[in-house]
Amino acid sequence: GAVVSQHPSRVICKSGTSVKIECRSLDFQATTMFWYRQFPKQSLMLMATSNEGSKATYEQGVEKDKFLINHASLTLSTLTVTSAHPEDSSFYICSARDVGHEQYFGPGTRLTVT
Amino acid sequence: AQKVTQAQTEISVVEKEDVTLDCVYETRDTTYYLFWYKQPPSGELVFLIRRNSFDEQNEISGRYSWNFQKSTSSFNFTITASQVVDSAVYFCALITGGSYIPTFGRGTSLIVHP
């Protein structure tokens, strides 16, 4: 099946710094990518939907200035957590949707803010 | 609006027992897709099955089987002869034909003891 990668898989950063997470579709073009956040023992919560070449659509309650999403190409979307704080520590998962509307999930990135 | 309910938060069984994970969904769309994903401790979402709303046939894949009942809006998942490696969180998800954005249930944590 199609493969979606995320980098890094784990990151630890200090409070106040920014962290960038990459999501790549390796063998298909993804017109749409999704970013999810998952707190321990909880479900996946959709943060935003990003379409290639246009601004991301954020879900209610998600700060767009804090979670910057860029979808510059059909195979790459990035999520930047700006001025990270300990409460931003979470598991971030991306998914990519192909032209047939099949959706493939990345392996996730575990962010720890100290 | 769509909704997925996984009423079982945690299930604990002993190896070789059969176990059924429940999933009840709500949607007004007539075209929709139901999914099951497995999330082991590593965090990566593993796709298990997709079923569309027009196909009510039950499916069996090895020790896994799924029972789709439109009359009760349920898509239950049974693991036969459970193994320790089945220990994970299992998510049921719904995609409707309109949005193609999945709605996840809260997940059921399955613990299989040796």
Short mmCIF file of all heavy atoms in Angstrom, two decimals, chain A residues 33-77:
data_model
loop_
_atom_site.label_atom_id
_atom_site.label_comp_id
_atom_site.label_asym_id
_atom_site.label_seq_id
_atom_site.Cartn_x
_atom_site.Cartn_y
_atom_site.Cartn_z
N MET A 33 -3.76 16.75 2.83
CA MET A 33 -3.14 16.11 3.99
C MET A 33 -3.84 16.59 5.25
O MET A 33 -4.35 17.71 5.28
CB MET A 33 -1.65 16.41 4.05
CG MET A 33 -0.85 15.70 2.97
SD MET A 33 0.92 15.97 3.18
CE MET A 33 1.58 14.80 1.98
N PHE A 34 -3.87 15.75 6.23
CA PHE A 34 -4.54 16.07 7.49
C PHE A 34 -3.53 15.96 8.63
O PHE A 34 -2.64 15.12 8.62
CB PHE A 34 -5.68 15.08 7.75
CG PHE A 34 -6.71 15.02 6.66
CD1 PHE A 34 -6.57 14.11 5.63
CD2 PHE A 34 -7.80 15.87 6.67
CE1 PHE A 34 -7.53 14.04 4.61
CE2 PHE A 34 -8.75 15.80 5.65
CZ PHE A 34 -8.61 14.88 4.63
N TRP A 35 -3.71 16.82 9.61
CA TRP A 35 -2.90 16.76 10.81
C TRP A 35 -3.79 16.49 12.02
O TRP A 35 -4.81 17.15 12.22
CB TRP A 35 -2.13 18.06 11.02
CG TRP A 35 -1.00 18.21 10.05
CD1 TRP A 35 -1.01 18.88 8.86
CD2 TRP A 35 0.31 17.65 10.17
NE1 TRP A 35 0.21 18.77 8.25
CE2 TRP A 35 1.04 18.01 9.03
CE3 TRP A 35 0.94 16.87 11.15
CZ2 TRP A 35 2.37 17.65 8.83
CZ3 TRP A 35 2.26 16.50 10.96
CH2 TRP A 35 2.96 16.89 9.81
N TYR A 36 -3.38 15.48 12.79
CA TYR A 36 -4.11 15.08 13.98
C TYR A 36 -3.21 15.22 15.20
O TYR A 36 -1.99 15.12 15.11
CB TYR A 36 -4.55 13.61 13.89
CG TYR A 36 -5.53 13.31 12.79
CD1 TYR A 36 -5.08 13.03 11.50
CD2 TYR A 36 -6.89 13.26 13.03
CE1 TYR A 36 -5.96 12.73 10.48
CE2 TYR A 36 -7.79 12.95 12.01
CZ TYR A 36 -7.31 12.69 10.75
OH TYR A 36 -8.20 12.39 9.75
N ARG A 37 -3.86 15.35 16.33
CA ARG A 37 -3.16 15.38 17.59
C ARG A 37 -3.80 14.33 18.49
O ARG A 37 -5.03 14.18 18.49
CB ARG A 37 -3.31 16.77 18.21
CG ARG A 37 -2.61 16.97 19.51
CD ARG A 37 -2.74 18.43 19.92
NE ARG A 37 -1.98 18.69 21.12
CZ ARG A 37 -1.86 19.88 21.67
NH1 ARG A 37 -2.46 20.92 21.14
NH2 ARG A 37 -1.16 20.04 22.76
N GLN A 38 -2.97 13.64 19.23
CA GLN A 38 -3.49 12.60 20.11
C GLN A 38 -2.84 12.70 21.47
O GLN A 38 -1.62 12.53 21.59
CB GLN A 38 -3.24 11.21 19.51
CG GLN A 38 -3.87 10.08 20.32
CD GLN A 38 -3.57 8.71 19.73
OE1 GLN A 38 -2.53 8.49 19.12
NE2 GLN A 38 -4.50 7.78 19.92
N PHE A 39 -3.64 12.98 22.49
CA PHE A 39 -3.16 12.97 23.86
C PHE A 39 -3.19 11.53 24.38
O PHE A 39 -3.93 10.69 23.85
CB PHE A 39 -4.02 13.88 24.73
CG PHE A 39 -3.82 15.34 24.42
CD1 PHE A 39 -4.80 16.07 23.78
CD2 PHE A 39 -2.64 15.98 24.77
CE1 PHE A 39 -4.63 17.41 23.48
CE2 PHE A 39 -2.45 17.32 24.48
CZ PHE A 39 -3.45 18.04 23.83
N PRO A 40 -2.40 11.25 25.41
CA PRO A 40 -2.34 9.89 25.95
C PRO A 40 -3.72 9.33 26.27
O PRO A 40 -4.56 10.01 26.86
CB PRO A 40 -1.49 10.04 27.19
CG PRO A 40 -0.62 11.21 26.91
CD PRO A 40 -1.48 12.16 26.11
N LYS A 41 -3.94 8.13 25.84
CA LYS A 41 -5.19 7.40 26.10
C LYS A 41 -6.41 8.10 25.54
O LYS A 41 -7.53 7.92 26.03
CB LYS A 41 -5.37 7.17 27.61
CG LYS A 41 -4.27 6.29 28.20
CD LYS A 41 -4.57 5.96 29.66
CE LYS A 41 -3.45 5.17 30.29
NZ LYS A 41 -3.25 3.85 29.66
N GLN A 42 -6.21 8.89 24.52
CA GLN A 42 -7.35 9.55 23.89
C GLN A 42 -7.36 9.29 22.39
O GLN A 42 -6.41 8.72 21.84
CB GLN A 42 -7.32 11.06 24.16
CG GLN A 42 -7.52 11.40 25.62
CD GLN A 42 -7.78 12.88 25.82
OE1 GLN A 42 -8.24 13.58 24.92
NE2 GLN A 42 -7.51 13.36 27.03
N SER A 43 -8.44 9.72 21.76
CA SER A 43 -8.58 9.48 20.34
C SER A 43 -7.81 10.53 19.53
O SER A 43 -7.24 11.47 20.09
CB SER A 43 -10.06 9.52 19.96
OG SER A 43 -10.24 9.11 18.62
N LEU A 44 -7.82 10.35 18.23
CA LEU A 44 -7.19 11.33 17.34
C LEU A 44 -8.14 12.51 17.16
O LEU A 44 -9.33 12.33 16.89
CB LEU A 44 -6.92 10.71 15.97
CG LEU A 44 -5.72 9.79 15.84
CD1 LEU A 44 -5.97 8.45 16.51
CD2 LEU A 44 -5.37 9.58 14.37
N MET A 45 -7.59 13.69 17.31
CA MET A 45 -8.38 14.89 17.10
C MET A 45 -7.84 15.62 15.88
O MET A 45 -6.66 15.97 15.84
CB MET A 45 -8.30 15.79 18.33
CG MET A 45 -8.84 15.16 19.59
SD MET A 45 -10.57 14.69 19.44
CE MET A 45 -11.34 16.28 19.18
N LEU A 46 -8.70 15.86 14.91
CA LEU A 46 -8.27 16.55 13.71
C LEU A 46 -7.94 18.00 14.05
O LEU A 46 -8.73 18.70 14.67
CB LEU A 46 -9.39 16.50 12.66
CG LEU A 46 -9.10 17.19 11.33
CD1 LEU A 46 -7.97 16.47 10.59
CD2 LEU A 46 -10.35 17.23 10.45
N MET A 47 -6.75 18.42 13.64
CA MET A 47 -6.33 19.80 13.87
C MET A 47 -6.62 20.66 12.65
O MET A 47 -7.14 21.77 12.77
CB MET A 47 -4.83 19.86 14.16
CG MET A 47 -4.40 19.12 15.39
SD MET A 47 -2.61 19.13 15.55
CE MET A 47 -2.29 20.86 15.82
N ALA A 48 -6.23 20.14 11.48
CA ALA A 48 -6.37 20.96 10.28
C ALA A 48 -6.30 20.09 9.04
O ALA A 48 -5.76 18.98 9.06
CB ALA A 48 -5.27 22.01 10.24
N THR A 49 -6.85 20.65 8.00
CA THR A 49 -6.82 20.03 6.67
C THR A 49 -6.03 20.94 5.76
O THR A 49 -6.29 22.15 5.71
CB THR A 49 -8.24 19.87 6.11
OG1 THR A 49 -9.01 19.09 7.03
CG2 THR A 49 -8.22 19.20 4.75
N SER A 50 -5.04 20.38 5.09
CA SER A 50 -4.26 21.23 4.19
C SER A 50 -4.33 20.72 2.76
O SER A 50 -4.19 19.53 2.51
CB SER A 50 -2.80 21.30 4.66
OG SER A 50 -2.04 20.21 4.25
N ASN A 51 -4.58 21.63 1.88
CA ASN A 51 -4.63 21.33 0.45
C ASN A 51 -3.42 21.98 -0.21
O ASN A 51 -3.05 23.11 0.11
CB ASN A 51 -5.91 21.87 -0.18
CG ASN A 51 -7.13 21.13 0.32
OD1 ASN A 51 -7.26 19.93 0.12
ND2 ASN A 51 -8.01 21.82 1.00
N GLU A 52 -2.83 21.26 -1.12
CA GLU A 52 -1.63 21.73 -1.79
C GLU A 52 -1.85 23.08 -2.42
O GLU A 52 -2.84 23.27 -3.16
CB GLU A 52 -1.19 20.70 -2.83
CG GLU A 52 0.12 21.02 -3.52
CD GLU A 52 -0.08 21.74 -4.83
OE1 GLU A 52 -1.17 21.63 -5.40
OE2 GLU A 52 0.87 22.40 -5.28
N GLY A 53 -0.99 24.03 -2.09
CA GLY A 53 -1.03 25.34 -2.71
C GLY A 53 -2.02 26.31 -2.12
O GLY A 53 -2.15 27.43 -2.62
N SER A 54 -2.71 25.93 -1.08
CA SER A 54 -3.66 26.87 -0.47
C SER A 54 -3.54 26.83 1.05
O SER A 54 -2.84 25.98 1.60
CB SER A 54 -5.10 26.53 -0.89
OG SER A 54 -5.46 25.25 -0.45
N LYS A 55 -4.20 27.76 1.68
CA LYS A 55 -4.12 27.84 3.14
C LYS A 55 -4.85 26.67 3.79
O LYS A 55 -5.87 26.20 3.29
CB LYS A 55 -4.74 29.16 3.62
CG LYS A 55 -3.92 30.39 3.28
CD LYS A 55 -4.55 31.65 3.88
CE LYS A 55 -3.71 32.88 3.57
NZ LYS A 55 -4.31 34.10 4.16
N ALA A 56 -4.33 26.28 4.92
CA ALA A 56 -4.95 25.17 5.64
C ALA A 56 -6.26 25.61 6.29
O ALA A 56 -6.45 26.77 6.61
CB ALA A 56 -3.99 24.66 6.72
N THR A 57 -7.12 24.65 6.46
CA THR A 57 -8.39 24.88 7.16
C THR A 57 -8.26 24.28 8.55
O THR A 57 -8.07 23.07 8.70
CB THR A 57 -9.55 24.21 6.42
OG1 THR A 57 -9.63 24.73 5.09
CG2 THR A 57 -10.87 24.49 7.15
N TYR A 58 -8.38 25.13 9.56
CA TYR A 58 -8.17 24.68 10.93
C TYR A 58 -9.51 24.35 11.59
O TYR A 58 -10.52 25.01 11.36
CB TYR A 58 -7.46 25.77 11.74
CG TYR A 58 -6.02 25.96 11.34
CD1 TYR A 58 -5.68 26.75 10.24
CD2 TYR A 58 -4.99 25.37 12.06
CE1 TYR A 58 -4.37 26.91 9.85
CE2 TYR A 58 -3.67 25.54 11.69
CZ TYR A 58 -3.37 26.31 10.59
OH TYR A 58 -2.06 26.47 10.21
N GLU A 59 -9.47 23.35 12.45
CA GLU A 59 -10.65 23.01 13.22
C GLU A 59 -10.85 24.03 14.34
O GLU A 59 -9.90 24.71 14.76
CB GLU A 59 -10.50 21.60 13.81
CG GLU A 59 -10.45 20.51 12.76
CD GLU A 59 -11.70 20.45 11.92
OE1 GLU A 59 -12.80 20.22 12.49
OE2 GLU A 59 -11.59 20.61 10.70
N GLN A 60 -12.07 24.09 14.79
CA GLN A 60 -12.39 25.04 15.85
C GLN A 60 -11.54 24.79 17.07
O GLN A 60 -11.38 23.65 17.52
CB GLN A 60 -13.87 24.90 16.21
CG GLN A 60 -14.41 26.03 17.05
CD GLN A 60 -15.93 25.95 17.21
OE1 GLN A 60 -16.54 24.93 16.89
NE2 GLN A 60 -16.53 27.01 17.69
N GLY A 61 -10.98 25.85 17.61
CA GLY A 61 -10.18 25.73 18.82
C GLY A 61 -8.69 25.53 18.57
O GLY A 61 -7.91 25.55 19.51
N VAL A 62 -8.31 25.33 17.33
CA VAL A 62 -6.89 25.16 17.00
C VAL A 62 -6.32 26.50 16.56
O VAL A 62 -6.85 27.13 15.64
CB VAL A 62 -6.71 24.12 15.88
CG1 VAL A 62 -5.23 23.99 15.51
CG2 VAL A 62 -7.27 22.78 16.31
N GLU A 63 -5.26 26.94 17.24
CA GLU A 63 -4.68 28.24 16.94
C GLU A 63 -3.82 28.18 15.68
O GLU A 63 -2.75 27.55 15.68
CB GLU A 63 -3.81 28.70 18.10
CG GLU A 63 -4.55 28.87 19.42
CD GLU A 63 -3.58 29.21 20.55
OE1 GLU A 63 -2.89 30.23 20.42
OE2 GLU A 63 -3.49 28.43 21.50
N LYS A 64 -4.24 28.86 14.65
CA LYS A 64 -3.51 28.78 13.39
C LYS A 64 -2.16 29.47 13.46
O LYS A 64 -1.23 29.12 12.71
CB LYS A 64 -4.34 29.35 12.24
CG LYS A 64 -4.71 30.80 12.40
CD LYS A 64 -5.54 31.25 11.21
CE LYS A 64 -5.91 32.71 11.31
NZ LYS A 64 -6.74 33.16 10.17
N ASP A 65 -2.02 30.45 14.35
CA ASP A 65 -0.73 31.13 14.46
C ASP A 65 0.26 30.32 15.27
O ASP A 65 1.47 30.59 15.22
CB ASP A 65 -0.91 32.51 15.11
CG ASP A 65 -1.73 33.44 14.24
OD1 ASP A 65 -1.66 33.29 13.00
OD2 ASP A 65 -2.45 34.29 14.78
N LYS A 66 -0.24 29.36 16.00
CA LYS A 66 0.65 28.53 16.81
C LYS A 66 1.04 27.28 16.03
O LYS A 66 2.16 26.82 16.13
CB LYS A 66 -0.04 28.13 18.10
CG LYS A 66 0.84 27.27 18.99
CD LYS A 66 0.27 27.13 20.36
CE LYS A 66 1.25 26.40 21.25
NZ LYS A 66 2.54 27.08 21.39
N PHE A 67 0.10 26.75 15.30
CA PHE A 67 0.35 25.54 14.52
C PHE A 67 0.32 25.90 13.04
O PHE A 67 -0.73 25.90 12.40
CB PHE A 67 -0.71 24.48 14.83
CG PHE A 67 -0.72 24.04 16.27
CD1 PHE A 67 -1.65 24.56 17.16
CD2 PHE A 67 0.20 23.12 16.73
CE1 PHE A 67 -1.66 24.16 18.49
CE2 PHE A 67 0.21 22.71 18.05
CZ PHE A 67 -0.72 23.23 18.94
N LEU A 68 1.52 26.23 12.53
CA LEU A 68 1.63 26.67 11.15
C LEU A 68 1.73 25.47 10.21
O LEU A 68 2.57 24.60 10.40
CB LEU A 68 2.86 27.56 10.98
CG LEU A 68 2.90 28.82 11.84
CD1 LEU A 68 4.20 29.58 11.60
CD2 LEU A 68 1.70 29.71 11.56
N ILE A 69 0.87 25.44 9.22
CA ILE A 69 0.87 24.33 8.28
C ILE A 69 1.16 24.85 6.89
O ILE A 69 0.57 25.82 6.43
CB ILE A 69 -0.49 23.60 8.30
CG1 ILE A 69 -0.66 22.89 9.65
CG2 ILE A 69 -0.59 22.60 7.15
CD1 ILE A 69 -2.02 22.29 9.86
N ASN A 70 2.10 24.16 6.25
CA ASN A 70 2.47 24.50 4.89
C ASN A 70 2.39 23.25 4.03
O ASN A 70 2.92 22.21 4.39
CB ASN A 70 3.91 25.07 4.86
CG ASN A 70 4.30 25.53 3.48
OD1 ASN A 70 4.63 24.73 2.62
ND2 ASN A 70 4.25 26.82 3.26
N HIS A 71 1.73 23.36 2.90
CA HIS A 71 1.58 22.22 2.00
C HIS A 71 2.05 22.69 0.63
O HIS A 71 1.26 22.94 -0.27
CB HIS A 71 0.11 21.80 1.97
CG HIS A 71 -0.14 20.47 1.31
ND1 HIS A 71 -1.31 19.76 1.52
CD2 HIS A 71 0.60 19.72 0.48
CE1 HIS A 71 -1.27 18.64 0.83
NE2 HIS A 71 -0.12 18.59 0.19
N ALA A 72 3.38 22.78 0.51
CA ALA A 72 3.97 23.42 -0.67
C ALA A 72 4.02 22.54 -1.90
O ALA A 72 4.12 23.03 -3.02
CB ALA A 72 5.38 23.90 -0.32
N SER A 73 3.95 21.25 -1.70
CA SER A 73 3.99 20.35 -2.85
C SER A 73 3.01 19.22 -2.65
O SER A 73 2.42 19.06 -1.58
CB SER A 73 5.40 19.79 -3.04
OG SER A 73 5.65 18.75 -2.11
N LEU A 74 2.82 18.42 -3.68
CA LEU A 74 1.86 17.31 -3.61
C LEU A 74 2.38 16.14 -2.79
O LEU A 74 1.66 15.16 -2.61
CB LEU A 74 1.51 16.84 -5.03
CG LEU A 74 0.58 17.77 -5.81
CD1 LEU A 74 0.47 17.32 -7.26
CD2 LEU A 74 -0.80 17.82 -5.17
N THR A 75 3.59 16.24 -2.30
CA THR A 75 4.12 15.14 -1.50
C THR A 75 4.62 15.57 -0.13
O THR A 75 5.12 14.74 0.63
CB THR A 75 5.28 14.44 -2.24
OG1 THR A 75 6.30 15.40 -2.49
CG2 THR A 75 4.81 13.83 -3.56
N LEU A 76 4.49 16.83 0.20
CA LEU A 76 5.05 17.30 1.47
C LEU A 76 4.14 18.32 2.14
O LEU A 76 3.72 19.31 1.54
CB LEU A 76 6.42 17.93 1.24
CG LEU A 76 7.07 18.62 2.45
CD1 LEU A 76 7.38 17.61 3.55
CD2 LEU A 76 8.35 19.34 2.02
N SER A 77 3.88 18.08 3.39
CA SER A 77 3.21 19.05 4.24
C SER A 77 4.02 19.16 5.53
O SER A 77 4.57 18.17 6.01
CB SER A 77 1.77 18.62 4.57
OG SER A 77 1.16 19.53 5.46
#
